[in-house]
Amino acid sequence: GSFKRFVHVEANMKAKNIVLPEYQDAMWSYVKAQRDGQLLYIGDHVGQDENAQTVRGKVGDPNEGGVVTVEEAQKLSAQAALRLVSTLSHYVDGDLDKVDQIIKVTGIVNGVPSFQQHGLVVNGCSDMLFEIFGERGRHARTCLGAGSCPAAVTMEMIVRLKPGF
């Protein structure tokens, strides 16, 4: 069409050696994302290892049952961001320049009872989104701790698409 691409998100990612994991479809009776006008609500994406396996367990002090360090959780958070962007790319037909703004990120950390570094963990996701989208990747966010969770780290986000898409 007549739409001119200005930002070339994919070229920026390639220059930074940022590679998206393969898109993974929903497993049960839900969808990975749901559109409402120009907003795309992307459901939770867990942090996975290099074999695309969910990393489970508590984050924090091993004396309280923690099996994932803050640094490991931060990397999982960044990897969850890549998975979110992979899903986003799927829903915008591979053209991430259709993204106007990342609006909101919610990060859920499966921390031990005394854990208080949720923000540090979720920075992994926030920083990755900024690396990929620049200013369009800056977002509001909420960081929560979970008493239980099927993964060490889980992220979700809301994205506004440019008009015309």
Side-chain angles (χ1 to χ4, degrees):
S2 61
F3 176 69
K4 185 175 177 186
R5 291 176 59 135
F6 292 103
V7 180
H8 299 299
V9 174
E10 291 84 358
N12 173 51
M13 289 171 50
K14 188 171 185 178
K16 294 179 179 180
N17 289 318
I18 297 172
V19 179
L20 296 180
E22 199 171 316
Y23 170 72
Q24 296 173 330
D25 211 350
M27 294 177 2
W28 295 296
S29 58
Y30 65 94
V31 292
K32 296 293 261 199
Q34 189 63 262
R35 187 162 176 179
D36 181 15
Q38 292 309 110
L39 295 179
L40 188 64
Y41 293 80
I42 303 179
D44 64 336
H45 284 57
V46 300
Q48 294 182 337
D49 65 18
E50 57 280 353
N51 299 313
Q53 296 299 309
T54 299
V55 175
R56 303 183 188 284
K58 292 284 187 186
V59 179
D61 187 343
N63 295 324
E64 285 187 80
V67 295
V68 178
T69 68
V70 171
E71 295 75 20
E72 290 167 339
Q74 202 171 43
K75 287 178 184 161
L76 290 169
S77 173
Q79 197 279 335
L82 292 175
R83 295 189 62 233
L84 284 168
V85 175
S86 175
T87 294
L88 173 57
S89 178
H90 174 82
Y91 277 83
V92 296
D93 301 318
D95 184 359
L96 291 170
D97 287 350
K98 292 177 180 176
V99 173
D100 185 47
Q101 190 70 44
I102 308 296
I103 299 295
K104 173 92 189 271
V105 165
T106 301
I108 302 163
V109 182
N110 188 13
V112 298
S114 69
F115 192 74
Q116 295 184 0
Q117 294 176 295
H118 305 79
L120 276 177
V121 170
V122 180
N123 280 349
C125 181
S126 295
D127 293 349
M128 181 60 74
L129 292 172
F130 182 74
E131 275 292 307
I132 292 171
F133 292 103
E135 288 300 319
R136 294 181 303 139
R138 289 201 191 274
H139 51 270
R141 77 176 192 187
T142 300
C143 305
L144 302 168
S148 67
C149 198
V153 174
T154 303
M155 303 290 144
E156 61 182 47
M157 70 179 179
I158 302 169
V159 178
R160 183 176 62 232
L161 302 177
K162 290 177 181 172
F165 297 112

